[in-house]
Amino acid sequence: MTAAGLPHESRLSDAFVSLLGRECVRDARADEIGVARVIVEPATIGEIAEVVQKCARDRLTLAPLGGGRILAQIRREPVSVGLALRRCARVVAYEPEDLTVAVEAGLTVGQLNELAGGKGQRLAVDPPLPERTTIGSLIAAARSGPLRLSEGTVRDLLIGIKYIGREGRVVNAGGRVVKNVTGYDLMKVMTGSYGTLGVIVEAAFKMRPVPANYTVALAGFARLEEAFDAAFRSSHGAPLLHCEIVSRRIGLALPGSPASANDRRFLLIAGLGGTRAEVDYQLTQIRGAVGTLIEALDGAAAEAVYHAIRDCPAAEATIGARIVVAPSALAGALEAAGAEFCAHAVSGIAQLFLDDVDEQAAHEAVARWRALAHRAGGHLTVVAARDSVRAGLSMFDEPGAGALALMRRLKAAFDPSNIFNPGCYVGGI
Amino acid sequence: MQKQIDPRVMAELREILDPAGVVSRPGELNVYECDGWTIEKSVPQLLLRPRSTAEVSALLRVLHRHNLPFVPRGAGTGLSGGCLPLAPVMICTSRMNRILAIDARNRRIEVESGVVNLNVSAAVKGAGLFYAPDPSSQAACTIGGNIAENSGGPHTLKYGVTTNHVLGVEIVLPDGEVVELGGSIEEPCGYDLVGAVVGAEGTMGIVTRATLRLLREPETHRTLLAIFDQVEAATRAVSAIVASGIIPGAIEMIDHLIIRAVVDAFHVELPLAAGAVLIIELDGLGAGIDEQAGRVTEMVRASGASEVRLARDEAERALLWKARKRAFGAVGRLAPNYATHDGVVPRTRLPEILQRITRISQSHQLSIGNVFHAGDGNIHPIVLYDERDPDQVRRAIAAGHDILKACVELGGSLSGEHGIGVEKINQMPLVFTPEDLAAMVELRHVFDPDERSNPGKVIPQPGACVEVAAPRRQAAL
Ligand SMILES: Cc1cc2nc3c(=O)[nH]c(=O)nc-3n(C[C@H](O)[C@H](O)[C@H](O)COP(=O)(O)OP(=O)(O)OC[C@H]3O[C@@H](n4cnc5c(N)ncnc54)[C@H](O)[C@@H]3O)c2cc1C
């Protein structure tokens, strides 16, 4: 059955057709039915504000879709209106000499980096599948990737934001300069807010130079602890671009399947960047820190390995989660997790996943992982759960009571009518 | 007019602290009448110096019960009037200065908010680590003050400002409730409230503890001093370096007026005739650094530097940085009073903003020096005046306003690191709409619904006029 088959759906879409015109309204596709009853695709920020105003007036729930995949995971029931920002995807201002850019939220990270690559620059945040990740969802879900070790995260690079808030109000914060403490930092508040506080429509970022040379160093280990020790030692010896440890299945699936993956269970994948002299020097240092089992890849081979670890398959798994703990506690947690994983080894963050498990096994896994996270002073977010295992899973963890009370107040202040992606964030916000 | 504190409330507050924790004699309170923004002054009625989170909480509970506002204070080195007492009670963290835990493996440190910035790096130096945000006032200012202002420093060009290095805070809300936000992990669970508190200028409660990120000390440094006849050439050099993709640890600029002051004060060898000097520090791996230094030297020469010197050793490097970091103090030699401003422009607009500042200096007939974080586009024009002359004070304030307006016109903003405080509160509408400001007020109310924590700062009252020609408060006129 399609969503369009229901009479109240058609009344809903009629209302938006008269607001925006027929070309801006469509039915939910099969993969969107669980997310939103009707999809609107406004062409301008002004139109997005009108949609929010209407929703506020008529008490219709709404959620910006981004790539749609995250929402499909966390929503239990569809919102009335899904906002696709694909037509709001303009580059507002790119100033390569200032290393800043301002873009609309519907642009994808991949599109932005294609443009910036021409200038030897990039938005140095690398979530999985950047060509499917919009700037809006990058911010809203605080997504990151291997480069977080050297470049920081969205939180560190976002310098300005425009969003549509309560009653369709257009709100700006920050600016387009790289250092700015004018007014409260609403950029931080919106980062990781999962569409619950408003619709992000524009963002400004610091850009970074792409290093002149990039080399990937690989080393295999039989024991996880050894791998982590080597990662800490390596990152202490050299300013690595990234430092990942992956479990065997991921290691074997890497393009060109490096020799060291075959007989070793855990693979350390370190990224080195800089001048040729710097890269060579770091390689020597890493060899010292890691031992001899090391292979170095350059050029296309390095890029291919990097893409494979960046696009960690956890999001496609039967059950997948992101664990965040103290860096020194990650090895222990992974040891006990009994899962495949891709780990940002020295940041204390990993994606864990299992395939082909039934509902009970999936739920047990999440409970086990969560307990491990808590014991290590951290938390766990479920990032993937197939329909067959999803029922009854809580996707987010619970913050401390004091913090959660403030979060509820924040939600009530920014979204008093509770229409922005309600009911699926931490504490049921 | 400030509310007078009822003697019974005074007694309740005294009971919570040891005698040394309470300052109430007018003579002693005068010290607290302002911070580094000395144009406006107001003496608090009572200064409280708690030693623990529990004491802060107990004090705030009493104030909450009696609906009294308060001003948090660290070391009072702020430059925008952030701890100007616009409330009767001031709460100072100076006795909450313990380092609580160092975790070298995870590169974290947990400190009380009254710990002095420099002491953080000093505590972890042995482990080869450092705390990156290094305001020039770092020998005095506190981590709590840094968090409130989201402070930066010379090396934040490469390493980021305070907000990039704070993972967790303990905050006492204005009603006395103690809340933990974030922690020692890389990503919080739920909304990033730590990110909201950093830079809130004390308007959301009193931060009592913080968990900070530490960085590994770079393997080596190269510190270059580039000397220019003309300021414009120096700013061109900054743009060229930034655009080249090399990210130095710091690029700082000092213009001719300030060169004179620091040569006098610190006996550094700088040519008095120079229009400007740049201090450019590269840091990183020994392997690549000389190549980088060579490239930077070429770019700087191509932009018109008349001379480029390399600091020969650690002692020379230390002297250069001493001159830079104490430059503000040296300015005291040039005039009885000075106001340090803080604006920010896109880096490519530095030449224009400096030209505008020269014109503003001429039109207000006041000397203006510049010593600033050039690599970030973060300017610090220093307006010299004499507070005994009311007309000079008025012109100094007007010149400050003109500079900020110029920053905004060039695509910049009102403050790069010193905060809004009272100094720039009336200029907020130059960058933000009433809707933007309303959203900010809503955020503040999440933490402080009665606006009792540091009232009268950051966000102007709706309808306030954009330009104020003279200070409204008891000013140093
Ligand atoms: C010579 C000189 C050089 C400077 N150089 C720089 C520089 O390079 N970069 C830079 O960014 N700044 C610089 N500053 C400005 C100033 O030092 C910083 O803003 C500093 O962070 C203030 O710290 P403080 O402890 O003195 O805070 P204070 O001045 O005491 O307070 C500043 C603000 O923080 C609030 N506050 C203080 N402690 C707390 C707390 N625990 N909880 C909540 N709120 C609190 C106060 O209410 C006030 O609003 C400089 C100042 C001077 C005098």
Side-chain angles (χ1 to χ4, degrees):
Chain A
M1 186 180 74
T2 66
L6 302 168
H8 57 286
E9 247 78 7
S10 70
R11 271 210 304 279
L12 188 60
S13 61
D14 287 349
F16 285 98
V17 167
S18 57
L19 188 69
L20 302 176
R22 175 144 312 279
E23 68 288 357
C24 290
V25 183
R26 63 172 174 83
D27 296 333
R29 286 189 307 254
D31 59 331
E32 295 166 333
I33 286 178
V35 172
R37 289 163 52 203
V38 61
I39 309 291
V40 300
E41 300 189 329
T44 64
I45 288 172
E47 286 184 1
I48 300 174
E50 282 177 43
V51 170
V52 176
Q53 276 159 19
K54 177 170 178 52
C55 290
R57 257 192 327 268
D58 300 351
R59 297 272 155 156
L60 297 169
T61 56
L62 81 155
L65 296 178
R69 288 166 358 120
I70 297 174
L71 220 47
Q73 288 300 327
I74 64 176
R75 284 223 63 83
R76 289 288 177 267
E77 53 186 71
V79 288
S80 300
V81 181
L83 265 168
L85 300 193
R86 140 189 105 75
R87 302 166 72 184
C88 292
R90 284 160 281 248
V91 175
V92 181
Y94 180 27
E95 306 289 348
E97 308 220 310
D98 281 319
L99 279 94
T100 59
V101 72
V103 294
E104 290 182 345
L107 194 75
T108 65
V109 175
Q111 288 166 325
L112 172 56
N113 278 342
E114 208 175 293
L115 172 74
K119 300 283 180 190
Q121 298 180 3
R122 62 183 174 192
L123 174 61
V125 194
D126 56 343
L129 307 176
E131 58 290 346
R132 278 161 64 182
T133 304
T134 62
I135 295 294
S137 76
L138 178 79
I139 299 168
R143 316 201 64 205
S144 64
L147 286 180
R148 60 176 298 136
L149 178 65
S150 51
E151 304 281 16
T153 60
V154 179
R155 185 184 196 281
D156 302 303
L157 300 173
L158 182 64
I159 54 177
I161 200 163
K162 188 195 289 281
Y163 69 90
I164 311 296
R166 56 189 278 188
E167 286 104 43
R169 182 168 75 183
V170 182
V171 178
N172 300 280
R176 291 187 193 162
V177 279
V178 297
K179 195 171 175 195
N180 190 359
V181 295
T182 313
Y184 296 141
D185 194 342
L186 296 178
M187 287 73 77
K188 301 286 185 296
V189 173
M190 298 307 285
T191 300
S193 64
Y194 283 84
T196 61
L197 300 177
V199 182
I200 297 162
V201 292
E202 208 180 284
F205 294 98
K206 291 187 206 183
M207 300 297 275
R208 301 278 201 199
V210 178
N213 297 278
Y214 174 60
T215 293
V216 161
L218 297 136
F221 297 88
R223 289 181 42 242
L224 189 58
E225 232 188 271
E226 276 173 358
F228 269 85
D229 278 343
F232 274 92
R233 274 199 309 275
S234 308
S235 80
H236 213 81
L240 303 177
L241 290 178
H242 58 75
C243 184
E244 309 287 295
I245 294 176
V246 299
S247 59
R248 183 149 198 263
R249 204 181 101 190
I250 312 271
L252 285 174
L254 288 182
S257 190
S260 39
N262 289 325
D263 53 341
R264 301 287 161 153
R265 286 180 56 211
F266 304 106
L267 208 58
L268 170 73
I269 303 148
L272 318 176
T275 61
R276 198 64 254 168
E278 284 173 317
V279 169
D280 290 342
Y281 175 77
Q282 293 180 73
L283 257 182
T284 331
Q285 287 206 316
I286 291 210
R287 268 186 230 279
V290 165
T292 47
L293 272 171
I294 194 157
E295 190 168 351
L297 305 174
D298 291 313
E303 291 291 333
V305 167
Y306 164 68
H307 288 149
I309 51 167
R310 180 197 67 195
D311 299 344
C312 169
E316 317 293 334
T318 309
I319 185 79
R322 179 178 175 83
I323 189 172
V324 186
V325 295
S328 60
L330 186 58
L334 292 178
E335 193 85 69
E340 298 290 336
F341 63 84
C342 306
H344 306 314
V346 288
S347 305
I349 298 176
Q351 315 255 35
L352 305 167
F353 63 98
L354 288 172
D355 270 319
D356 306 321
V357 287
D358 64 12
E359 183 170 348
Q360 197 191 344
H363 284 229
E364 279 169 11
V366 169
R368 184 170 69 245
W369 297 341
R370 216 161 238 157
L372 288 167
H374 295 171
R375 211 174 309 145
H379 59 96
L380 185 105
T381 308
V382 176
V383 296
R386 287 271 162 82
D387 289 348
S388 57
V389 306
R390 248 177 75 175
L393 271 184
S394 56
M395 310 305 267
F396 290 96
D397 229 318
E398 194 95 329
L404 184 56
L406 286 173
M407 290 176 196
R408 289 193 200 290
R409 268 151 56 183
L410 175 61
K411 170 70 173 177
F414 277 44
D415 181 20
S417 35
N418 198 28
I419 57 169
F420 291 119
N421 197 18
C424 60
Y425 191 51
V426 294
I429 283 170
Chain B
M1 201 47 216
Q2 275 182 19
K3 216 157 138 181
Q4 282 298 317
I5 308 174
D6 187 302
R8 278 166 305 185
V9 180
M10 198 82 107
E12 265 187 81
L13 293 166
R14 274 181 192 281
E15 216 160 90
I16 295 164
L17 301 179
D18 59 307
V22 182
V23 178
S24 59
R25 253 183 308 210
E28 291 171 65
L29 287 169
N30 281 344
V31 181
Y32 301 93
E33 65 183 359
C34 65
D35 55 14
W37 169 250
T38 55
I39 285 183
E40 296 175 58
K41 294 175 181 169
S42 160
V43 181
Q45 294 171 43
L46 183 66
L47 173 81
L48 301 168
R49 304 195 308 135
R51 284 168 306 186
S52 66
T53 302
E55 286 184 354
V56 173
S57 168
L59 293 172
L60 293 197
R61 277 182 208 284
V62 172
L63 296 177
H64 177 59
R65 230 178 19 252
H66 298 285
N67 195 26
L68 279 173
F70 57 90
V71 186
R73 178 178 169 114
T77 69
L79 291 171
S80 55
C83 57
L84 177 75
L86 298 181
V89 180
M90 178 174 261
I91 298 180
C92 180
T93 58
S94 58
R95 294 201 299 170
M96 298 178 60
N97 55 6
R98 282 170 305 176
I99 288 176
L100 300 170
I102 296 173
D103 178 352
R105 182 156 169 106
N106 289 317
R107 299 183 196 163
R108 311 274 193 258
I109 187 166
E110 196 188 348
V111 299
E112 288 184 333
S113 59
V115 165
V116 168
N117 173 297
L118 197 57
N119 291 350
V120 177
S121 285
V124 297
K125 193 163 173 48
L129 300 172
F130 74 107
Y131 177 61
D134 60 339
S136 303
S137 54
Q138 68 186 144
C141 65
T142 66
I143 292 298
N146 295 170
I147 289 174
E149 301 291 2
N150 188 16
S151 299
H155 290 86
T156 52
L157 171 60
K158 178 164 182 178
Y159 295 110
V161 292
T162 300
T163 194
N164 308 114
H165 301 275
V166 179
L167 290 166
V169 296
E170 176 189 78
I171 183 169
V172 184
L173 300 179
D175 64 3
E177 189 190 344
V178 180
V179 182
E180 291 273 348
L181 302 175
S184 63
I185 53 177
E186 287 279 316
E187 275 175 14
C189 175
Y191 298 124
D192 183 358
L193 297 181
V194 174
V197 167
V198 178
E201 302 194 21
T203 60
M204 295 180 183
I206 296 187
V207 172
T208 43
R209 277 193 298 150
T211 303
L212 310 174
R213 199 198 296 275
L214 300 170
L215 299 182
R216 206 171 55 86
E217 280 184 333
E219 210 176 81
T220 187
H221 299 97
R222 291 290 181 275
T223 309
L224 300 166
L225 183 73
I227 296 163
F228 296 84
D229 297 337
Q230 300 292 331
V231 169
E232 279 76 38
T235 53
R236 275 202 309 274
V238 174
S239 299
I241 297 168
V242 170
S244 77
I246 294 179
I247 305 179
I251 309 179
E252 299 283 302
M253 189 186 299
I254 304 178
D255 77 359
H256 64 279
L257 193 69
I258 310 294
I259 292 173
R260 246 176 49 208
V262 297
V263 167
D264 271 5
F266 307 115
H267 312 294
V268 274
E269 281 174 47
L270 296 176
L272 283 170
V277 299
L278 290 179
I279 301 176
I280 304 163
E281 183 155 284
L282 297 157
D283 65 19
L285 295 171
I289 202 143
D290 287 320
E291 185 184 328
Q292 276 198 3
R295 279 180 62 200
V296 168
T297 303
E298 267 168 43
M299 282 187 271
V300 164
R301 282 195 201 284
S303 307
S306 55
E307 190 187 336
V308 186
R309 290 187 208 156
L310 187 66
R312 274 168 304 226
D313 51 22
E314 192 51 37
E316 202 175 15
R317 172 176 176 242
L319 183 64
L320 277 178
W321 279 115
K322 180 173 151 196
R324 163 60 188 95
K325 291 202 170 179
R326 300 209 188 147
F328 289 137
V331 171
R333 296 167 169 256
L334 301 179
N337 303 88
Y338 61 93
T340 307
H341 290 283
D342 166 45
V344 54
V345 292
R347 304 174 257 216
T348 47
R349 312 304 288 272
L350 279 174
E352 283 153 277
I353 192 69
L354 289 181
Q355 282 159 15
R356 294 241 205 155
I357 290 172
T358 306
R359 285 209 296 276
I360 290 167
S361 159
Q362 287 158 355
S363 74
H364 292 283
Q365 296 178 342
L366 292 169
S367 294
I368 303 180
N370 289 287
V371 42
F372 63 101
H373 313 306
D376 289 316
N378 185 188
I379 58 165
H380 288 330
I382 302 182
V383 180
L384 307 184
Y385 69 100
D386 181 345
E387 73 173 10
R388 291 165 302 190
D389 176 355
D391 187 52
Q392 280 198 36
V393 175
R394 262 188 291 275
R395 280 186 278 136
I397 293 173
H401 288 186
D402 288 354
I403 291 169
L404 292 179
K405 228 158 106 191
C407 288
V408 173
E409 282 165 16
L410 294 175
S413 199
L414 301 177
S415 175
E417 57 179 17
H418 294 168
I420 299 303
V422 294
E423 181 200 357
K424 299 170 182 174
I425 189 165
N426 290 317
Q427 276 114 314
M428 286 288 272
L430 290 177
V431 269
F432 293 122
T433 66
E435 286 76 25
D436 304 339
L437 295 171
M440 291 183 191
V441 170
E442 281 158 17
L443 175 61
R444 194 248 180 106
H445 287 179
V446 167
F447 295 82
D448 182 15
D450 313 320
E451 301 192 4
R452 285 187 306 104
S453 189
N454 215 8
K457 312 290 166 67
V458 190
I459 310 284
Q461 291 299 320
C465 54
V466 174
E467 295 289 331
V468 174
R472 298 138 295 160
R473 285 162 284 268
Q474 177 193 342
L477 286 172

